[in-house]
Amino acid sequence: MAVLLTCEGVGKSHGSRLLFAGVSLTVSEGDRFGLIGPNGAGKTTLLRILAGLDAPDAGTVSVRKQTRLAYVPQAPAFEEARTVGEILEESLHDAALDAGEKTARINGIAGRAGFTDFRLAAGELSGGWRKRLAIARALVAAPDLLLLDEPTNHLDVEGILWLEKQLKLAPFASVFVSHDRYFLENVASRLGELNRVYPEGVFLVPGNYSEFLERREDFLEAQRKRQESLTARVRREIEWLRRGAKARTSKSKARIEAAGRLMAELDSVAARNSAAAARIDFTATGRRTRRLIEAGGLEQRMGERALFSGLDFVLSPGACMGLVGANGTGKTTLLRTLAGELPPWKGEIRRASGLRVVYFDQNRKQLDPALPLKKALAPDGDLVVYRGQPVHVAGWAKRFLFSAGQLELPCGELSGGEQARVLIARLMLEPADVLLLDEPANDLDIPTLEVLEESLAGFPGAVVLVTHDRYLLDRLATFVVGLNADGSCGVFASLEQWEAALPERREARSGAKPAPRETAPPGARKKLSYLEQREWDQMEARILAAEQTLATLQ
């Protein structure tokens, strides 16, 4: 495959802080390159450098001549008054196509992206539909290389499945920054992790996410063994030096210099092996009530349109209710209703007396961008009280991977993942019976996501989780509530069961009849044996009994 882009020895700093150095990689035709790494490693910065939007402090980026690049940022910006049609047409202003070809291309891509009304203004679109529009705009431009920064953020599950299909079948190459593990597993043909834990600053592996994890574990294990070996050798050299090494001979001089190099290498390897992870552990009240929240016949509307209706569920300690559905179906509205911010249109919500609810807002409105990090973490002074014990703000900040030098930094200057960690740190100080979490995984890196999963899995209260991270839902949800665009809803045993019902719901919306099943020609059928006939005769009753048992268990 021909090389489209080459990155050689690239380095970049943000102020006095080094983001990355000596990064080298190539992108070839057909590549689907997934870029991961911890928050603050510089993934967005590197992607912008590859797109030609930022200049590196060191190194070079070379793009093959006449290669068309398209870049989709984390938070796409549009003129609010411009329509979907105008925005899509704009990306074809210098394309050598006639009017009919432009219309056909726009209609085809917009239709696959789910847009039916081209007169809609960008300001009327939700975050998920703005992201779809940004991706569709990039696809209309027919790039040779598509660069995507957190493309699954704000997309609903159906939108993520659509994007996966587009990238897997695409004739162009793509580079995408993502923390969505299922997306990386299903789409990536190559993976790179930008992290100072690696000597070259980046670890590159051909294959998908599973293969990457295996190769990374092998590398890190070898690096840990290297540290052990260096530690033993340095210990011997230090003992030799303490015995009074004579520096007069050239042999002794060489050994002293070699010992110094060994110590420097040990320091470097030890620093790389000491990568820290945020420590997340929510505080529960310890309430023993069997029913924390019970909803009966719940309905909520937006104007004349029903968002959901006839919803029944019970939240008990240890339960995790996953909320799924397309953007605009009312997931956040349901969370606000459960939090008591909105009264239900119909039905009722019964809460245990004195119930303590903690709510994580996906828009992070609880965070003042002008507020220093120190005040955001500890609003009442230099101490916070966590589980009855005072903790100094510097130690509390360190728990969430913030340095002492960041404490005076305004929250508005923090990355998306860092802002999410600040909000999680604040929630951990509040004892809760029920956690209402609206997209808590957005912008979090994979190590922090893993810690968040473990904390939520061990939380003794109830959790209501809105997320488009399918791995997180599979790991945590004890049942799933699916909200549909027509106002209907359903309760499912798992995300897999909800996804299996997607084609049926699409057919119902479009009015299409399901395709008839293929049957074997009569001549191909064989006569059943006595035992097979007996099993066939009993099958219907056994299926009914099994379905009743399954319904009871669910």
Side-chain angles (χ1 to χ4, degrees), residues 183-453:
F183 185 80
L184 292 166
E185 177 73 15
N186 296 336
V187 177
S189 62
R190 291 178 62 211
L191 269 158
E193 182 177 15
L194 193 64
N195 196 326
R196 276 176 282 179
V197 74
Y198 307 114
E200 296 174 359
V202 65
F203 185 58
L204 303 171
V205 172
N208 61 10
Y209 186 61
S210 297
E211 293 167 278
F212 170 81
L213 289 178
E214 289 179 21
R215 296 277 293 274
R216 182 181 67 175
E217 186 53 42
D218 290 343
F219 176 88
L220 294 178
E221 179 60 28
Q223 189 164 266
R224 284 190 288 267
K225 288 180 178 177
R226 175 66 177 161
Q227 182 180 349
E228 291 170 7
S229 171
L230 285 170
T231 301
R233 290 175 62 188
V234 166
R235 189 183 300 117
R236 289 195 297 271
E237 295 305 301
I238 289 173
E239 288 172 0
W240 175 75
L241 288 168
R242 282 175 177 164
R243 287 198 298 268
K246 302 284 192 276
R248 290 190 296 271
T249 67
S250 58
K251 188 174 180 180
S252 294
K253 282 181 182 179
R255 186 168 177 180
I256 291 170
E257 289 170 2
R261 289 194 296 272
L262 274 177
M263 291 175 194
E265 186 182 354
L266 176 59
D267 288 344
S268 175
V269 172
R272 293 199 300 271
N273 283 342
S274 63
R279 289 177 290 155
I280 299 172
D281 196 4
F282 294 99
T283 305
T285 63
R287 176 192 289 272
R288 300 292 182 186
T289 310
R290 298 255 331 205
R291 293 182 172 226
L292 299 174
I293 295 179
E294 186 173 358
L298 201 60
E299 181 176 332
Q300 199 59 276
R301 304 180 75 85
M302 179 180 286
E304 296 298 314
R305 182 170 74 92
L307 293 174
F308 51 84
S309 59
L311 183 57
D312 304 296
F313 60 84
V314 175
L315 285 176
S316 304
C320 177
M321 181 172 87
L323 274 181
V324 294
N327 292 319
T329 52
K331 300 184 295 294
T332 297
T333 301
L334 178 52
L335 283 187
R336 294 181 63 199
T337 304
L338 295 178
E341 293 181 10
L342 296 173
W345 184 269
K346 278 186 185 176
E348 60 176 337
I349 299 175
R350 291 183 288 277
R351 299 178 180 86
S353 61
L355 189 74
R356 302 190 69 169
V357 176
V358 167
Y359 181 28
F360 181 97
D361 174 19
Q362 69 160 317
N363 296 317
R364 299 169 189 160
K365 291 178 182 174
Q366 304 118 313
L367 209 55
D368 181 354
L371 195 67
L373 173 61
K374 180 178 178 180
K375 284 292 181 185
L377 292 172
D380 300 322
D382 290 339
L383 298 173
V384 298
V385 178
Y386 177 60
R387 295 185 172 178
Q389 298 295 321
V391 181
H392 192 271
V393 65
W396 188 242
K398 187 177 178 182
R399 182 183 181 116
F400 298 93
L401 308 184
F402 294 110
S403 66
Q406 291 178 284
L407 289 175
E408 299 303 326
L409 202 65
C411 288
E413 293 185 24
L414 299 175
S415 71
E418 288 170 332
Q419 289 182 12
R421 293 205 300 266
V422 172
L423 287 178
I424 290 171
R426 288 163 63 157
L427 295 187
M428 280 173 52
L429 299 175
E430 302 180 43
D433 300 307
V434 179
L435 296 174
L436 304 178
L437 305 177
D438 196 358
E439 295 291 359
N442 273 2
D443 303 313
L444 290 181
D445 56 30
I446 291 174
T448 308
L449 276 174
E450 290 169 348
V451 176
L452 177 65
E453 284 166 22

